[in-house]
Amino acid sequence: MSAEITLLVNPTAGRGRGAHAAQPAASALRAAGFSVRTVLGADAADALARLRTAVREGTGAVIAVGGDGVVSLALQALAGTLVPLGVVAVGTGNDFARAMGLPVGEPAQAGRLAAEALKEGRIRETDLGRVSRAGAGADGGTWYGTVLCSGFDSRVNDRGNRMRLPAGRFKYDLAILAELAAFRPFPYRITLDDGPVIETEATLVAVGNGTSYGGGMRICADAVPDDGLFDVVVVGDCSRATLLKVFPQVYKGTHLGHPKVTVHRAAKVTLEAAGITAYADGEPLGPLPVSADCVPGALRLLA
């Protein structure tokens, strides 16, 4: 293994915490005898290109410093390779780190954990989701580690992303209220593995490799990231009143017991619905239809 470790840093993550977190993480790695190379990039595409070059040149590991966005970027370069990933979670959501049992908001501790794991060869293989879209060509698809979401939650994301004001979390609270005012269930076509098409009215459909999204909303609370299967959570044709009652339960995962919620397990899922955007790891993928495959052992994780 190369002694050079690559830090992939999002300096704006967590309202600037990413920039401050890089130093203690780098110090912990250097104290363990590794040299550290930092990748920033002018934008996401540039950072990914630089990261792929580092992987191709034989970096010993990649440490993603930031939130779920920078982890998502790292997955695009590391999935299916032998290069392991460490995570210094200092973003707003940090759902990937939570799902994998890694430290959150503790950059020095996370850096030491990654360094110790490298020294001891402590690497855990975990599954990833790979999403493909019709007409996207042979680009290999988009990898994700936590949840692919579609429906009410993705409509909230769409609206929030269009809003310039207010800033921060309050923007998404307003987006929720606006979507509730216009709420209606969506007609879905869902295919699980090679089974028959399920035609149903649904509020949302989430395909979970990990347990949570949105900074701790445990939409797929029972998902296991190394069992070779997705947890597919379908929230049925709720009324607005039922949705208002069920949605807060997502933070504890108790919504899974509600009669309007069903959970399936499958290695491949195809979702079709008109006018719905899919998001994975919080990043927009584009409109449905999409297909997602659970790829066992696609990522080597320092843990």
Side-chain angles (χ1 to χ4, degrees):
M1 177 183 289
S2 170
E4 182 180 84
I5 307 303
T6 301
L7 281 189
L8 176 65
V9 181
N10 178 1
T12 64
R15 298 183 181 179
R17 289 193 296 272
H20 297 293
Q23 185 56 49
S27 296
L29 289 161
R30 291 190 179 106
F34 296 101
S35 61
V36 177
R37 169 187 181 183
T38 300
V39 168
L40 291 171
D43 53 28
D46 182 49
L48 180 55
R50 291 170 183 266
L51 184 60
R52 283 178 166 149
T53 297
V55 171
R56 190 167 55 248
E57 292 176 350
T59 188
V62 171
I63 312 297
V65 183
D68 290 321
V70 75
V71 171
S72 176
L73 202 64
L75 297 183
Q76 311 315 310
L78 297 181
T81 75
L82 296 177
V83 179
L85 173 68
V87 178
V88 177
V90 289
T92 303
N94 305 312
D95 289 293
F96 182 86
R98 286 192 180 91
M100 302 300 168
L102 300 174
V104 173
E106 299 288 346
Q109 180 187 353
R112 288 193 299 270
L113 176 67
E116 291 166 4
L118 282 166
K119 284 281 193 182
E120 298 170 9
R122 200 171 66 236
I123 292 172
R124 187 172 86 217
E125 291 190 348
T126 188
D127 306 340
L128 293 177
R130 183 172 57 200
V131 185
S132 57
R133 296 181 58 238
D139 63 356
T142 301
W143 297 91
Y144 75 96
T146 57
V147 177
L148 184 158
C149 69
S150 68
F152 177 77
D153 43 7
S154 65
R155 292 290 287 265
V156 169
N157 268 326
D158 286 343
R159 184 179 290 271
N161 290 340
R162 293 193 301 267
M163 294 167 62
R164 298 187 64 184
L165 293 172
R169 182 72 195 181
F170 188 51
K171 175 170 65 175
Y172 289 93
D173 293 338
L174 287 181
I176 288 173
L177 292 175
E179 284 301 318
L180 277 171
F183 171 73
R184 57 178 176 78
F186 310 101
Y188 271 88
R189 289 167 54 87
I190 305 168
T191 307
L192 305 174
D193 294 325
D194 295 320
V197 173
I198 302 168
E199 298 196 24
T200 186
E201 295 278 323
T203 300
L204 65 88
V205 181
V207 183
N209 181 61
T211 54
S212 67
Y213 63 0
M217 299 171 69
R218 295 173 55 80
I219 186 69
C220 300
D222 294 337
V224 178
D226 60 0
D227 65 353
L229 297 171
F230 293 125
D231 276 28
V232 185
V233 175
V234 180
V235 180
D237 57 342
C238 295
S239 66
R240 189 179 291 110
T242 300
L243 181 58
L244 282 168
K245 181 178 179 181
V246 172
F247 207 71
Q249 298 176 13
V250 171
Y251 287 95
K252 294 184 178 179
T254 54
H255 64 291
L256 296 182
H258 193 278
K260 287 290 186 180
V261 178
T262 55
V263 181
H264 309 273
R265 290 188 171 85
K268 180 175 182 177
V269 182
T270 299
L271 302 178
E272 301 173 74
I276 299 296
T277 304
Y279 285 75
D281 288 344
E283 302 296 318
L285 297 174
L288 300 184
V290 298
S291 292
D293 291 275
C294 185
V295 182
L299 180 70
R300 291 161 57 83
L301 187 69
L302 298 173

